[in-house]
Amino acid sequence: NERVGPTAVMEAATLLLEAAHCEALPRREDNSMTLDQHLKEAQDCRQELRNKGIDDVHRKWLARLVATRRLIVVPTANALGYYRN
C-alpha cells in the first residue's frame, strides 16, 4: 500500500536498531554508572523488546543483521500509485 509503505519501512529500521542497541548492552564505556546500573539498563531494554513480541532469539538475529550487513533504508512512496489511489 502506498500510504503505509514508508511508515512500515521506518518501523522495520527502528526495530533493527533497537535490537542492535539492546544486544550491545551492557556497555562499560560510561564510568558514571555502576555495573548493576548497566545490567539493569540491558535487562530493561531487552524486556521492552519482549513486550513488543521480540524474543531473545529474534533480538540476536536482528542485531546480527545490523552488524553483518550494510543496510540502506529508503522510505519512498509509489507516487503514481498514491496519485491513482
Side-chain angles (χ1 to χ4, degrees):
N1 188 320
E2 290 77 16
R3 296 176 193 265
V4 299
T7 302
V9 168
M10 292 308 296
E11 290 296 322
T14 300
L15 182 61
L16 285 165
L17 293 174
E18 285 177 355
H21 170 75
C22 287
E23 191 61 22
L25 295 174
R27 295 185 315 258
R28 288 292 301 187
E29 294 102 25
D30 182 8
N31 292 329
S32 67
M33 294 172 60
T34 66
L35 177 59
D36 288 339
Q37 289 170 323
H38 281 286
L39 292 174
K40 175 85 168 100
E41 179 187 23
Q43 290 171 347
D44 291 345
C45 188
R46 292 168 183 174
Q47 185 59 47
E48 269 186 49
L49 284 176
R50 278 188 216 103
N51 293 343
K52 293 179 181 180
I54 307 298
D55 62 11
D56 292 342
V57 171
H58 288 103
R59 182 195 73 241
K60 291 177 182 181
W61 179 72
L62 291 168
R64 186 170 186 271
L65 286 177
V66 172
T68 60
R69 288 159 176 78
R70 178 177 297 167
L71 301 174
I72 300 170
V73 178
V74 183
T76 59
N78 175 353
L80 182 60
Y82 187 84
Y83 175 75
R84 289 182 179 169
N85 192 5

